[in-house]
Amino acid sequence: MKNLLFVIISLLLWSGCESTLFEKEPDTNAEAVFEEIWRNFDDLYAPFAERNVDWDALYAEFRPQLNANSTEEDLYRVVTQMITRLDDGHVSLTVPEKKVYFANRIFREKPDDHLFNKEVIQTHYLNGQLEEDEHTFYGKIGNIPYIHFNVVNGEWRYLQDALKLNPNAPGIIIDLRHNQGGDFTFALQEVAKLNPQKRLVFQSRTKNGPGKEDFTPWHEWHLEAEGSYNGKILVLIDRYTVSAGERATLILKSMPNVTLLGEATNGALSTMVARGVSNGWYHTIATQDVIAFNGEVYEGKGIPADVAVRNTPERLAQGKDDVLERALERLQ
Amino acid sequence: MKNRITFWMGMLGICIALTAQAQNAPQRTLGITYGYQHYSRQDQLFSPLVYNGTAPLNLQLSYQVNAANSQQNAYLSFGLYDMSAHDAYDFSEDFDALEERTLYPSSFQMIRLGYGYARQFGKDQRLVYNVGLRLDGQIEAMFFEMGFASIFGYTTTFSLAPSVGAAYHFNRNTFLSGQLAVPVLGFVARSPYALNDDDYIERQSAHNNLTTLVNLIGDSDLRSFGTYRQVDVGLHLQHQFTRNTALRLGWQARWYDITEPKRVLALHNGFNAGVYFKL
């Protein structure tokens, strides 16, 4: 009752009583913020084991690099070096007046980023009618339906429209190169419309407490049987295919008539969330472990292509997408 | 979930029965209210910082039935809050293509609906007391802007609270009233510990806002003082300036403290002005 009266009086005298009604915000000096970020990852980050990272060892290595005199620049340098060890496509740091720092080398340095070029596909391959939305474009290459998804969202409904371009074609090409992810359940729903038999696609578990083994139970995700497509499905992937793009790859890969072409995906299959830090910075973080239908763990490694093939700048300059060419060959 | 739906259907039934009872000598009033709404919220699931903001877009509708010795009140309100924990700043990102961005405030949407029943005592005197029960539902949908990423969060509470109040009548047309309600139990649903776990992903996989909302509310836990505490207070000054129209100035505040899966403390505080019409 005494506490209740205190709360009521505080409410009535609201101005200036924020400190009595809320928890004290953490300090914003470099040491305190480092501790806070390190602890956030210790609490929430899931795939330490998959990425062979000893988080306690990183604390021992990086914590001593900061002291009471450290500046915000010192803090930025130490934190970015620490998260770089995760090399995780889901980990980033947002800081005022700077470019977002990506822990993953691929997204930070962008090697071979230009080896996927949608202009080449649209100009040199797609004949006639090109359908395009914000994150998707599709059409026919010869008599073969082709569709590219830049993200995994509601635009996956166009998969059915692409198939209708030529229902009698020997197959379809689904291009997931440079797919940035999104919500894999859209892919689960749309791919089910092609799938004749219910099958496990992956299982995942999520951190649900601060302890190293605090996880939810494994959750099985299934591809429902809502269709009967028996043509070949050729899925194009690259190292920029990430997150829900990789889950979509697994969903497709679980079907026997699917072949993956290109190069291994990024290897960040978890779910990403974000968290604010007391000094106004934000970081993103991966909170799930994922096991594929075949028992494989692709986190940190990427889903390999069944047919390894890469584009080259020279051939692209000639209007030739070799990954796409190889897919077309398999549909001859 | 079936038990929860049964519980709320039962409560709704009681409300309908009470409304029917009050129809013997009812005086019905419809009110519309707009005001200055301030919100402060510290949710450890998302940030250790206190987010503050106001809702330029807010509205409350209320319907009141006054009988000889009882009062019923149903209300529905909506507020759209711009919330931030620090000054806006610029940053850039090149995940896809290089883009200059500004970290804008987060957007919180709050819907509140409820029903209260109170018995009045001392109706012929200047000071009138009331004691009653209140069913209250609050739905908060939060879209956090977190630099490179945006994150969705939610909190819903459906509570049952005893309430006490008093009104002091200065004259026939003017009175000052106060109300206090403290829930004894409530069904509470919040974002999970790591925000996007598989259960959450599955519940929103219909990609339909209403279905997702029903799924999330259906996942509520029954909580009481140990893990859910809430206080509602209000003060109102009402003046009847024509036979059928009254002006009401008010101050309302809600404070809540939910400890699981991580602590959230919130204080909603608003001054408002409303016009009430006798029906």
Side-chain angles (χ1 to χ4, degrees):
Chain A
M1 193 62 189
K2 204 173 163 185
N3 287 342
L4 190 60
L5 281 173
F6 174 75
V7 168
I8 294 164
I9 291 166
S10 296
L11 288 169
L12 291 169
L13 303 172
W14 158 236
S15 57
C17 68
E18 183 172 302
S19 60
T20 61
L21 292 174
F22 295 96
E23 291 187 3
K24 183 179 179 296
E25 294 179 348
D27 290 336
T28 56
N29 63 67
E31 290 179 295
V33 173
F34 176 89
E35 295 277 350
E36 186 184 335
I37 293 173
W38 183 88
R39 185 152 292 106
N40 286 345
F41 279 83
D42 197 49
D43 283 357
L44 290 166
Y45 190 77
F48 283 126
E50 292 91 320
R51 292 181 178 276
N52 294 314
V53 171
D54 181 341
W55 195 239
D56 292 326
L58 291 187
Y59 180 91
E61 180 181 345
F62 288 102
R63 176 65 183 85
Q65 296 182 31
L66 295 167
N67 56 46
N69 298 320
S70 297
T71 64
E72 196 163 81
E73 274 302 315
D74 296 330
L75 175 66
Y76 180 78
R77 175 180 51 78
V78 171
V79 169
T80 51
Q81 285 177 6
M82 181 172 70
I83 62 175
T84 297
R85 299 290 182 85
L86 295 168
D87 194 21
D88 188 330
H90 280 129
V91 174
S92 68
L93 183 69
T94 301
V95 171
E97 312 302 336
K98 286 186 187 294
K99 193 164 84 173
V100 171
Y101 187 86
F102 295 111
N104 177 242
R105 185 185 70 84
I106 303 300
F107 285 106
R108 192 172 64 249
E109 298 177 1
K110 299 289 178 77
D112 300 334
D113 186 30
H114 56 288
L115 293 185
F116 169 73
N117 188 330
K118 78 175 198 178
E119 305 299 331
V120 168
I121 298 165
Q122 292 181 351
T123 307
H124 296 276
Y125 289 92
L126 290 173
N127 46 356
Q129 199 176 357
L130 165 71
E131 301 290 342
E132 196 164 15
D133 205 335
E134 191 179 355
H135 299 286
T136 309
F137 64 91
Y138 64 97
K140 278 196 297 184
I141 302 174
N143 65 342
I144 304 296
Y146 166 95
I147 187 163
H148 179 267
F149 293 113
N150 186 38
V151 297
V152 186
N153 67 359
E155 292 182 23
W156 274 62
R157 67 184 180 277
Y158 293 125
L159 179 57
Q160 314 306 323
D161 295 338
L163 277 166
K164 286 176 194 161
L165 291 175
N166 183 6
N168 299 318
I172 181 170
I173 297 171
I174 302 175
D175 196 344
L176 300 183
R177 288 176 293 175
H178 278 54
N179 186 296
Q180 301 170 23
D183 180 344
F184 70 81
T185 61
F186 284 105
L188 208 53
Q189 285 167 0
E190 294 303 326
V191 176
K193 294 171 185 169
L194 313 182
N195 178 43
Q197 182 186 326
K198 183 176 178 177
R199 47 187 111 235
L200 175 73
V201 288
F202 44 74
Q203 47 187 322
S204 43
R205 63 175 190 169
T206 315
K207 281 301 303 275
N208 68 352
K212 289 193 180 344
E213 292 305 317
D214 287 343
F215 283 90
T216 61
W218 286 100
H219 183 104
E220 291 189 347
W221 289 91
H222 291 91
L223 182 62
E224 297 297 328
E226 297 174 9
S228 57
Y229 185 76
N230 54 16
K232 292 178 181 174
I233 301 174
L234 300 178
V235 179
L236 314 187
I237 51 176
D238 66 12
R239 62 178 72 180
Y240 292 90
T241 307
V242 68
S243 192
E246 294 179 277
R247 299 268 199 131
T249 303
L250 278 185
I251 289 165
L252 288 157
K253 182 181 165 69
S254 70
M255 298 197 295
N257 50 341
V258 169
T259 304
L260 306 183
L261 297 97
E263 59 180 345
T265 59
N266 186 272
L269 288 88
S270 178
T271 282
M272 181 182 83
V273 300
R275 188 169 166 80
V277 186
S278 53
N279 65 345
W281 295 4
Y282 297 89
H283 63 76
T284 53
I285 191 166
T287 55
Q288 285 193 320
D289 290 332
V290 180
I291 299 176
F293 64 92
N294 54 8
E296 292 288 333
V297 174
Y298 295 115
E299 185 77 25
K301 297 184 288 194
I303 305 162
D306 300 315
V307 179
V309 52
R310 294 189 74 200
N311 287 338
T312 63
E314 297 76 22
R315 291 272 292 163
L316 272 177
Q318 296 164 14
K320 295 293 181 189
D321 182 327
D322 286 332
V323 182
L324 184 54
E325 293 277 348
R326 190 70 69 86
L328 290 166
E329 282 171 20
R330 295 179 79 91
L331 289 172
Q332 297 303 317
Chain B
M1 179 158 174
K2 193 180 171 188
N3 288 341
R4 287 164 206 151
I5 291 171
T6 306
F7 174 84
W8 287 107
M9 291 300 285
M11 288 296 173
L12 186 63
I14 292 169
C15 296
I16 292 167
L18 290 171
T19 308
Q21 186 189 20
Q23 283 172 349
N24 294 333
Q27 186 182 79
R28 300 168 195 280
T29 312
L30 183 67
I32 184 165
T33 301
Y34 177 83
Y36 170 81
Q37 306 292 327
H38 184 270
Y39 194 33
S40 297
R41 195 172 194 280
Q42 183 184 35
D43 191 335
Q44 302 290 345
L45 286 173
F46 300 90
S47 167
L49 299 179
V50 179
Y51 278 67
N52 288 290
T54 57
L57 189 61
N58 70 86
L59 202 65
Q60 176 168 315
L61 294 172
S62 60
Y63 177 67
Q64 201 166 305
V65 180
N66 283 311
N69 291 310
S70 68
Q71 186 180 66
Q72 295 177 75
N73 182 31
Y75 52 90
L76 173 67
S77 69
F78 171 79
L80 183 59
Y81 294 80
D82 287 336
M83 303 287 286
S84 52
H86 52 72
D87 292 337
Y89 60 74
D90 295 330
F91 64 98
S92 62
E93 58 108 343
D94 63 349
F95 186 75
D96 186 15
L98 185 62
E99 190 182 353
E100 297 296 328
R101 292 176 57 182
T102 300
L103 185 65
Y104 290 111
S106 300
S107 176
F108 291 11
Q109 297 171 13
M110 186 191 295
I111 295 173
R112 191 182 290 176
L113 70 167
Y115 167 83
Y117 175 85
R119 295 289 292 180
Q120 294 180 315
F121 303 96
K123 186 119 191 195
D124 299 327
Q125 298 162 15
R126 279 191 170 232
L127 192 58
V128 179
Y129 299 95
N130 66 68
V131 177
L133 278 176
R134 188 157 83 183
L135 288 169
D136 181 275
Q138 178 169 294
I139 297 164
E140 290 178 85
M142 299 163 288
F143 301 87
F144 283 92
E145 293 299 329
M146 294 202 161
F148 172 64
S150 302
I151 290 293
F152 173 73
Y154 65 94
T155 299
T156 67
T157 58
F158 289 86
S159 61
L160 176 66
S163 67
V164 294
Y168 181 80
H169 291 258
F170 297 100
N171 52 50
R172 274 176 62 89
N173 293 325
T174 309
F175 67 87
L176 177 69
S177 65
Q179 206 75 23
L180 168 70
V182 180
V184 289
L185 56 90
F187 285 105
V188 177
R190 287 186 67 203
S191 298
Y193 187 87
L195 307 182
N196 289 348
D197 65 10
D198 292 292
D199 287 342
Y200 167 76
I201 293 168
E202 192 154 56
R203 286 187 190 104
Q204 59 85 56
S205 63
H207 307 297
N208 174 296
N209 289 344
L210 189 59
T211 307
T212 299
L213 179 64
V214 170
N215 288 343
L216 296 179
I217 291 173
D219 190 42
S220 300
D221 294 324
L222 182 61
R223 302 191 193 188
S224 191
F225 291 122
T227 55
Y228 166 52
R229 292 176 293 160
Q230 181 174 305
V231 178
D232 288 286
V233 291
L235 279 175
H236 296 97
L237 179 66
Q238 180 165 317
H239 178 69
Q240 194 80 31
F241 62 91
T242 70
R243 187 163 172 267
N244 292 321
T245 314
L247 177 69
R248 182 185 277 200
L249 301 175
W251 171 80
Q252 285 177 295
R254 166 170 292 180
W255 171 86
Y256 70 71
D257 176 4
I258 304 170
T259 55
E260 301 293 337
K262 284 184 179 177
R263 194 173 196 190
V264 56
L265 289 158
L267 177 66
H268 179 258
N269 193 42
F271 295 92
N272 51 55
V275 184
Y276 287 72
F277 306 97
K278 269 187 194 166
L279 299 177

